Amino acid sequence: MSEQVSIYDQIEIEDFTFDEELQTFSYPCPCGDKFQISLGDLEDGENIAVCPSCSLMVEVIFEKEDLQDFIDQVS
Amino acid sequence: MPYNLLALGSNGGYQLGVGDNKDRHSAVPSEFEINGEIQRNIGGEVVQVACGGEHTLLLLADGHLLASGSNEQSQLFSSVRKTSDHFKVFRTIESLADRKFKLVSCGWEYSVAITTDDKILVSGYGPNGELGLGKPIMSTKGADDGYTAIPFEEAAKRGGIKKIKGSIHSTIIQLGNGEVWGWGNNKKGQLFDTDGELESRIVWKPTLLEFRNHAKVLDFAMARDFSVFILRDQAGVIRKVFRGKDNYDIGDDLHDVRLDEDTLENIQAMWTSVHVITKDKSIRSFGNNSHSQISPRRDVHPDKYRMGSEHGLCIVDERKVFAWGWGEHGNCGEHSDDKKEKDDVTFDYCNEIYEAGEGERVVNVFGGCATSFIEVERKNS
Ligand SMILES: [Zn+2]
């Protein structure tokens, strides 16, 4: 991500809800909608979850090995 | 006296109660369905507005509850099967019509309402113990009327429930004997230190929150994943206790603040900041300032402040309402021409969002998830 992006907050991956079907992590946004990021994006090294209803973004705090449980869940 | 409620901001789940689900960038009247008719008169004074992610509860002075917004998780104390998934305007909660309430609080997709005889009713969905009903209950969708009572006999024996403050995933109540009890998400230690115990990360039932030396809790505030308690210890010294995740060094900053019981009015929180208000109506803010949540320098002198998820509101002289902070959904109104670009989502000044007309008085203001509610009393004419 470019340095221009302003991040609203940092959220640990343990606080996200994982939807197995959509393979997506979500977390409440102060607008009433939810920040989202896909498992695939996290595996690719992305770490910015975005909200479909507003411009806010959060940085997901995680280690690569945190993802293994979720990868196992969906495979 | 007739009362009106005006609303602006985020409205994707009909939480403004204006009949549709479009955001509003200026104050518009909420609507009320009373005896089958849509009207703008509330039918009584609103004493509390509680806001979840996309739902809103109004507590009237006569103890009745009105609701609008999403009921997809039965969070409006109404079975989603028997009623509907969204209340588009405010309406009476039929399943609660015979009960009277004194306090109400909303979390992300759940609600908590306290009856005048100290029963705690909960409704909605909460995977982190938010419902306080014991492991592993996460939903009241299956309940007959979409809600359940938390068994909590202690309340009545200990002076009743006097105060409730919730965040999106946890709730804290204070009893008449001064004790504070909490339940819900405790993954960040926002209720009490887990001491590394996995079991304590979710608090499934109301649990007594303890403080060193049995200090008395004067007030407290719950942000998204931390809590702040203002205490008076036995020597009469005021202490500030921070619990939870501290991304913004709030604990340290608060520690250095001088507070005095006689001058403290209250402490309030947005999701990622806290605001200490003194009786002279000065405000000191601590925490996330990504969108000017920290109260800006003002040339206005408010009578009252209220916090939303990431914006603040205040009333001046019972006539004008101002907003600051993050206003992307219209919850802080629109920038006046000379101040900023129209699409700038940050309000780093107090923006006027309402001015009372002839014969009107602003009696209250409430903030939710990018929503703002203004209560206006009109003189009979
Ligand atoms: Zn959002």
Side-chain angles (χ1 to χ4, degrees):
Chain A
M1 301 301 291
S2 84
E3 283 175 330
Q4 309 302 318
V5 171
S6 91
I7 298 300
Y8 153 66
D9 203 2
Q10 297 175 314
I11 309 291
E12 287 77 27
I13 196 163
E14 64 168 16
D15 295 318
F16 281 77
T17 303
F18 183 60
D19 183 316
E20 272 183 48
E21 231 158 85
L22 301 173
Q23 303 196 13
T24 297
F25 293 87
S26 67
Y27 184 80
C29 174
C31 77
D33 206 335
K34 290 173 180 172
F35 296 111
Q36 295 169 358
I37 188 166
S38 71
L39 176 57
D41 283 347
L42 290 173
E43 286 182 84
D44 291 343
E46 281 283 345
N47 66 345
I48 304 298
V50 297
C51 173
S53 297
C54 72
S55 68
L56 295 190
M57 292 177 248
V58 292
E59 183 182 345
V60 188
I61 306 300
F62 71 106
E63 303 287 341
K64 264 260 140 97
E65 50 266 35
D66 296 335
L67 301 180
Q68 198 53 52
D69 278 355
F70 301 103
I71 295 169
D72 294 346
Q73 265 181 55
V74 298
S75 55
Chain B
M1 293 278 194
Y3 292 91
N4 294 131
L5 193 68
L6 300 147
L8 59 164
S10 187
N11 193 29
Y14 300 89
Q15 59 267 47
L16 300 183
V18 294
D20 61 48
N21 63 350
K22 291 199 292 276
D23 289 358
R24 292 296 196 281
H25 291 255
S26 61
V28 293
S30 294
E31 296 182 339
F32 300 83
E33 187 183 324
I34 293 172
N35 303 325
E37 302 222 343
I38 304 291
Q39 58 181 63
R40 289 178 175 180
N41 268 347
I42 304 172
E45 184 182 358
V46 172
V47 290
Q48 212 192 332
V49 177
C51 301
E54 291 189 325
H55 68 291
T56 310
L57 291 179
L58 309 181
L59 173 62
L60 302 188
D62 69 5
H64 280 106
L65 284 185
L66 302 176
S68 78
S70 175
N71 189 41
E72 290 168 294
Q73 302 292 344
S74 293
Q75 62 264 58
L76 300 181
F77 297 94
S78 305
S79 163
V80 64
R81 285 172 288 111
K82 291 192 203 166
T83 56
S84 64
D85 54 4
H86 289 89
F87 289 16
K88 296 182 180 178
V89 299
F90 284 100
R91 60 165 131 130
T92 307
I93 300 171
E94 271 162 40
S95 60
L96 301 179
D98 297 336
R99 296 190 188 250
K100 292 213 166 168
F101 296 87
K102 60 178 175 181
L103 294 167
V104 63
S105 169
C106 289
W108 187 245
E109 294 175 300
Y110 66 97
S111 305
V112 183
I114 314 288
T115 64
T116 48
D117 57 350
D118 295 305
K119 303 254 185 318
I120 307 174
L121 306 187
V122 289
S123 76
Y125 171 74
N128 305 293
E130 288 92 333
L131 301 179
L133 294 169
K135 195 174 178 179
I137 300 171
M138 297 185 186
S139 172
T140 61
K141 248 182 169 175
D144 244 10
D145 284 317
Y147 71 88
T148 312
I150 299 181
F152 189 61
E153 300 306 324
E154 287 85 347
K157 288 182 225 151
R158 296 169 195 237
I161 299 168
K162 299 298 179 195
K163 191 182 275 189
I164 186 167
K165 292 200 182 180
S167 75
I168 58 171
H169 294 306
S170 335
T171 303
I172 297 176
I173 55 174
Q174 185 168 34
L175 306 183
N177 68 355
E179 289 175 356
V180 287
W181 293 63
W183 67 90
N185 190 332
N186 191 36
K187 288 179 185 170
K188 305 297 170 198
Q190 57 265 62
L191 297 174
F192 55 84
D193 190 349
T194 60
D195 259 337
E197 264 183 63
L198 278 179
E199 274 293 293
S200 308
R201 289 165 52 85
I202 290 182
V203 179
W204 289 96
K205 286 179 180 178
T207 300
L208 179 65
L209 308 187
E210 295 182 90
F211 298 92
R212 218 157 22 95
N213 302 328
H214 306 285
K216 184 183 176 216
V217 176
L218 301 177
D219 200 8
F220 55 97
M222 283 216 88
R224 190 190 59 207
D225 39 25
F226 64 83
S227 307
V228 174
F229 301 86
I230 310 276
L231 309 169
R232 186 189 60 228
D233 69 18
Q234 278 160 335
V237 177
I238 301 297
R239 290 200 291 126
K240 287 84 64 179
V241 171
F242 181 98
R243 290 183 179 174
K245 170 171 151 181
D246 197 357
N247 274 4
Y248 305 97
D249 295 327
I250 295 171
D252 281 350
D253 288 349
L254 272 177
H255 187 264
D256 299 334
V257 173
R258 277 184 59 117
L259 276 181
D260 163 357
E261 186 174 353
D262 296 330
T263 56
L264 175 72
E265 179 148 301
N266 59 43
I267 177 164
Q268 303 185 31
M270 297 183 196
W271 279 18
T272 54
S273 56
V274 292
H275 306 264
V276 179
I277 294 148
T278 44
K279 292 214 168 90
D280 63 0
K281 311 302 177 196
S282 70
I283 178 169
R284 279 170 289 178
S285 306
F286 309 90
N288 189 0
N289 199 29
S290 65
H291 293 80
S292 290
Q293 295 98 317
I294 301 301
S295 175
R297 286 179 67 90
R298 283 166 298 131
D299 43 15
V300 295
H301 301 281
D303 336 312
K304 185 176 219 168
Y305 296 89
R306 293 277 188 179
M307 304 305 150
S309 55
E310 292 295 356
H311 69 294
L313 297 162
C314 59
I315 306 175
V316 174
D317 296 335
E318 300 185 331
R319 287 191 51 74
K320 288 184 174 186
V321 180
F322 295 84
W324 78 90
W326 178 60
E328 184 162 358
H329 286 267
N331 47 301
C332 297
E334 287 187 318
H335 292 292
S336 3
D337 296 335
D338 50 330
K339 298 275 190 183
K340 292 189 115 180
E341 295 293 325
K342 280 267 182 268
D343 58 355
D344 193 321
V345 300
T346 296
F347 289 73
D348 57 1
Y349 62 98
C350 280
N351 186 38
E352 185 180 312
I353 60 172
Y354 189 73
E355 180 173 10
E358 193 59 35
E360 283 184 354
R361 186 170 76 92
V362 176
V363 290
N364 226 328
V365 66
F366 304 92
C369 293
T371 57
S372 304
F373 292 91
I374 301 160
E375 186 182 9
V376 173
E377 182 191 45
R378 280 186 298 112
K379 285 203 188 86
N380 275 315
S381 56

